[in-house]
Structure formats: C-alpha cells, structure tokens
Amino acid sequence: MNAPLQTPASLAPFADRRRRLAAAMGQGVAVIGTAPERTRNRDVQHPFRFDSYFYYLTGFTEPESVLVLVAGEQPRSILFCRPKDMEREIWDGYRFGPEAARDAFGVHEARPIGELDKAMTRLLSDQPALYADVGSDAAWDGRLIEWINRVRALARSGVTAPGEIRDVRRILDEMRLLKDAAELDAMRRAAAISARAHERAMRTTRPGLFEYQVEAELLHEFLSGGSLSPAYPSIVASGPNACVLHYVENRRRLEDGDLLLIDAGCELEGYASDITRTFPVNGRFSGAQRDVYELVLAAQAAAIDAVKPGNHWEQPHEAALAVLARGFVDLGLCKGSPESVIESGDYRRFYMHRTGHWLGLDVHDAGDYKRDGAWRPMEPGMVLTVEPGCYIRPADSVPETLWNIGVRIEDDALVTADGCEILTAATPKSVADVEAIVGRG
Ligand code: GLY
Ligand code: MN
Ligand code: MN
C-alpha cells in the first residue's frame, strides 16, 4: 500500500528549509532520497514511511523519490519521482507524476525517477562537493560513488568531479533540532491526539481485559484523530511486563492489583508524540505502588523544572536522578547516601535509561547532545521528552512489597524563552486525576 494522498497545508516552510540548507552548503549538490519500500511477507509490503530528512525538505510522501538541491547563488531544487502510470494507479492509487509534483510541491523542476542516474552525471559536473546521507544504506552509497566515477570518466573533456563527499545530516540535524512554527503546530496536534488516546485507555482499563484490548483503544483514538500510524510500537505492559523496557507483545491479561504502563504516541504529518503513563488496573494505587509512583512523579517534576534555556542537556537527567536516588534509599532499594548511590551507579538496578531524548520527525530525533565534548545548552524551539522511571524486578535484596512494580512517566517538552511548555500536559498524571478516571468507561 502506498502513502495516502497528502499535500502540506503550506509549502513555505519546506521551501525555506531548502533555502537554508543551500545557504549552509554554499556550493555543491545535495542528494537526499526517501526511504525504501520494505516487504513484510511474500507480496505484502510494510506500510510505507518516508525518510524524515527527505520529508523535512519536500513534504512529499511518495516512495521512489529523490531530492537534488544544487546550491550556489541561485539554488535549484529538482525532485525525481515516479512517473504517471494509469495501470499502476488503478491498483495502488494516485501518484503525482513529475509535472503535478513540481506544481504542488514548489520545486524548480521535477523529473521521472528513472532519469536520476543519467541526470547526476550532468548535475555533479564541475561541482566541488556531493552532500548525502553517507553510510545509511550500502547500495545507495555505491550509487553515489558510481555517479562520481562517471563524472570522473569525463575528465578528458575538461569536466571535474566533486572532490569531496560530505554528510548532509551535519547541517540538517542542526536545522531539525530547532523546530519552526509549522513543526510545532503539527507536534502540538500530535500531542493532543495522544493525550486523548491515553485518557481513553485509562477510562477503558479494568481487570480481565488483555493488553492488546487496551492497545486497540489507543489505536482507535490515533486513527480517529487523523493520525495514520503510531510513532513507534505501543508498549502496553501490565504487572511484571512494566519492568521490560521495550515490551511490545501486549498479550497478557490484566489482573486486579496490577499497574499498567502505557508508552504510546501517534505520528501526525510525520511528527511524533511520545507519552508514558502508569496507572492501577483497578483504579486504586496500593500503598507500595503509590510510593513508587509519587517518587517518579517528583523526579519528573524536578527534571521538568530543569528544562530551560541556558541549562545544558544533562541537567534534567541529573535533577531526576537526585530525586530518584534519595527515594531508592528511603524505599530500602539502595543502601548508603543518595550521593553514593549516584556515584557508584547502584541506582541503575532500578533506573537504567536516560531521562529523555530529542523529539520530532523521528521519535528519537536528530541532533547532537554534546558539542565539542560538552553537553549542549537548551535553546527555545528544541523539543525533548522527560521520562524518568523506576523498574523493580524480584530479587532477594529488594523488599517483596515492591516486586514487579514498574513506573515511567513521560511528557514532551518544548523549550521556551523562560522555561518549557509541556505539549502533553492534557494527559492525566496526578494520583487523584488518574484514580478519578481509570475504569470510568
Ligand atoms: N517510546 C520510546 C521512548 O520513550 O523513548
Ligand atoms: Mn521517549
Ligand atoms: Mn516513550
């Protein structure tokens, strides 16, 4: 199946990004292809998902497409895409074809994808550098080299080949890290759909359901909200499964007394949301569950307080860790002082992941976390998750009342001029809000 027919509401952001990329390149040619189609089994394809860099620059969602951007005083963008084909369109649906794509997506030129190899010899002639996503696909890398070799073969006719291949992602990652207004609009809408999905899951949950039945409620809300896909496989993890960080089987029956950890977010117009909530299946936290939940909630609040311009990337993690380490000592999970628990890394028995990641077109989005060896400062326009947790597996060294309690609380934060905006704030989170809603139909 192909991507559905979509044209972005406004082309201006895409054209602006191409202009900014060309300006950062100065000279040279960038070639950015979309993702390959992948077979699921026999003649069935996985649903197609475009490449995030390609989409960021074009808004074009069809497979078999490549953007070529020629930088210089008058940058030119050329889209290579599938030609019109009435026979294929009867089976697979509409495709733009070069002519309509050029008009709809505002590129200077569009050509059939079959002409790419030939065109690249001309486009790379006398250019100083080729910019591409080198190393992401061996076959694609081979094609880049082949183009350069073909230009090189023309040396005796006075043509020079690019002397350098540069990683175009070094420029694009920095651009993608600071979200523009169109991106933030999509991310706010994605977050709102996901918040509704979590609320629906809470309302529906009761002992006796299976995890996949709760997942169905999430998917219902994603699709009815206009999202065509989750941004990543939904984690619906009850009881001991909450301590499996990437649990996606979603097959267990919910038991009275379990906690249910749901990590799920929809993708909207390419943009991810990423929310985790943990709540009691029967609508009432036990004393031990509540203790751990309140601890993770306090760690998250401390981390969110640390999300502000000027603070560096690691500060929210450090803030969460300080709260968690003290809590682990108070709960009898770790021995010694909170400082020694951090120093020795003993906390990792119960908190083994980091407190967040960049969020955008990819759920673990583009962008460096360090620059020149130092954690980078946060700037307005960056979007990150804040997601501390605590996962307690049965062990002799652990009080039995805490066994199999797994809690994570995750929200999406936009760094603003003086702090942050929680894009996912509508998702119920306090003990009182959660208990008031779980199982209420
Ligand atoms: N859902 C993926 C993550 O939280 O990083
Ligand atoms: Mn996350
Ligand atoms: Mn998540």
Side-chain angles (χ1 to χ4, degrees):
M1 296 291 161
N2 290 332
L5 174 58
Q6 282 182 346
T7 42
S10 164
L11 292 170
F14 300 94
D16 182 53
R17 292 170 203 156
R18 292 195 295 272
R19 263 194 301 277
R20 286 163 55 211
L21 171 58
M25 289 161 60
Q27 287 197 304
V29 177
V31 185
I32 296 130
T34 197
E37 293 176 281
R38 302 236 185 247
T39 303
R40 181 177 183 276
N41 58 303
R42 204 173 175 92
D43 58 352
V44 178
Q45 304 290 309
H46 280 288
F48 176 71
R49 167 53 157 79
F50 43 78
D51 173 81
S52 297
Y53 294 103
F54 174 82
Y55 178 80
Y56 180 73
L57 294 168
T58 61
F60 194 62
T61 58
E62 287 187 20
E64 296 185 79
S65 317
V66 173
L67 173 72
V68 178
L69 183 68
V70 183
E73 276 185 14
Q74 299 225 300
R76 287 184 65 73
S77 48
I78 307 155
L79 178 68
F80 290 84
C81 63
R82 301 180 303 186
K84 291 297 284 179
D85 182 335
M86 282 327 291
E87 175 67 16
R88 286 317 322 157
E89 287 179 58
I90 287 168
W91 289 89
D92 299 334
Y94 178 80
R95 44 172 83 177
F96 276 91
E99 216 170 296
R102 184 197 56 215
D103 297 343
F105 291 87
V107 287
H108 295 101
E109 200 182 323
R111 314 285 316 157
I113 185 70
E115 295 181 10
L116 177 66
D117 287 321
K118 192 153 167 261
M120 286 316 297
T121 314
R122 174 174 48 85
L123 291 166
L124 288 175
S125 292
D126 296 322
Q127 289 286 349
L130 168 61
Y131 287 77
D133 56 341
V134 193
S136 56
D137 181 87
W140 181 245
D141 289 352
R143 240 168 125 187
L144 306 177
I145 303 290
E146 181 63 30
W147 296 336
I148 290 182
N149 284 341
R150 279 197 213 165
V151 183
R152 221 174 254 147
L154 299 176
R156 268 173 291 167
S157 58
V159 171
T160 54
E164 282 181 84
I165 301 181
R166 295 201 185 154
D167 194 336
V168 71
R169 291 168 297 193
R170 292 199 67 78
I171 302 171
L172 289 174
D173 286 355
E174 282 300 300
M175 289 171 58
R176 282 177 55 184
L177 188 49
L178 297 178
K179 271 65 182 174
D180 61 35
E183 296 184 285
L184 291 176
D185 176 57
M187 292 189 79
R188 283 198 178 91
R189 287 182 289 123
I193 295 169
S194 296
R196 286 203 298 277
H198 277 262
E199 183 171 335
R200 185 186 179 99
M202 287 181 193
R203 285 188 187 284
T204 315
T205 292
R206 54 187 157 74
L209 286 185
F210 284 84
E211 291 165 343
Y212 52 77
Q213 291 177 297
V214 180
E215 183 180 8
E217 302 297 328
L218 298 164
L219 291 174
H220 176 97
E221 205 63 41
F222 288 174
L223 285 160
S224 28
S227 153
L228 302 171
S229 170
Y232 54 90
S234 303
I235 296 170
V236 182
S238 63
N241 293 337
C243 296
V244 180
L245 295 180
H246 290 162
Y247 176 79
V248 289
E249 283 170 30
N250 300 353
R251 277 187 226 160
R252 185 177 170 277
R253 193 184 162 103
L254 313 185
E255 303 291 343
D256 199 348
D258 284 347
L259 284 180
L260 181 64
L261 182 157
I262 299 181
D263 184 345
C266 74
E267 178 177 290
L268 188 71
E269 294 160 23
Y271 286 85
S273 50
D274 186 5
I275 303 180
T276 307
R277 288 293 184 269
T278 310
F279 54 90
V281 160
N282 63 15
R284 282 282 168 268
F285 285 94
S286 72
Q289 289 170 346
R290 189 182 171 126
D291 287 345
V292 177
Y293 188 83
E294 302 258 33
L295 171 62
V296 176
L297 196 58
Q300 201 214 24
I304 288 173
D305 270 351
V307 177
K308 54 181 159 202
N311 269 9
H312 64 67
W313 166 259
E314 192 72 341
Q315 276 169 278
H317 181 60
E318 287 166 355
L321 213 48
V323 174
L324 289 174
R326 172 163 297 282
F328 293 170
V329 172
D330 292 347
L331 288 170
L333 292 168
C334 294
K335 299 209 179 341
S337 68
E339 295 73 26
S340 70
V341 166
I342 292 174
E343 176 72 25
S344 67
D346 191 38
Y347 68 86
R348 290 202 188 95
R349 288 189 290 136
F350 309 104
Y351 182 45
M352 55 297 280
H353 60 78
R354 301 189 59 79
T355 302
H357 49 84
W358 303 130
L359 184 73
L361 282 168
D362 297 310
V363 63
H364 298 158
D365 205 36
D368 290 337
Y369 293 92
K370 276 190 173 178
R371 309 212 79 186
D372 304 322
W375 295 112
R376 75 184 300 158
M378 287 179 268
E379 296 170 43
M382 294 175 170
V383 180
L384 60 144
T385 66
V386 185
E387 50 177 306
C390 173
Y391 315 92
I392 310 171
R393 287 170 174 263
D396 290 343
S397 57
V398 169
E400 199 169 334
T401 49
L402 298 174
W403 286 9
N404 291 321
I405 293 181
V407 173
R408 179 164 63 255
I409 305 173
E410 175 174 28
D411 283 289
D412 305 342
L414 161 67
V415 183
T416 58
D418 52 5
C420 68
E421 172 191 335
I422 301 301
L423 305 179
T424 46
T427 326
K429 186 159 70 171
S430 70
V431 166
D433 285 354
V434 165
E435 289 192 338
I437 201 170
V438 171
R440 295 303 153 93

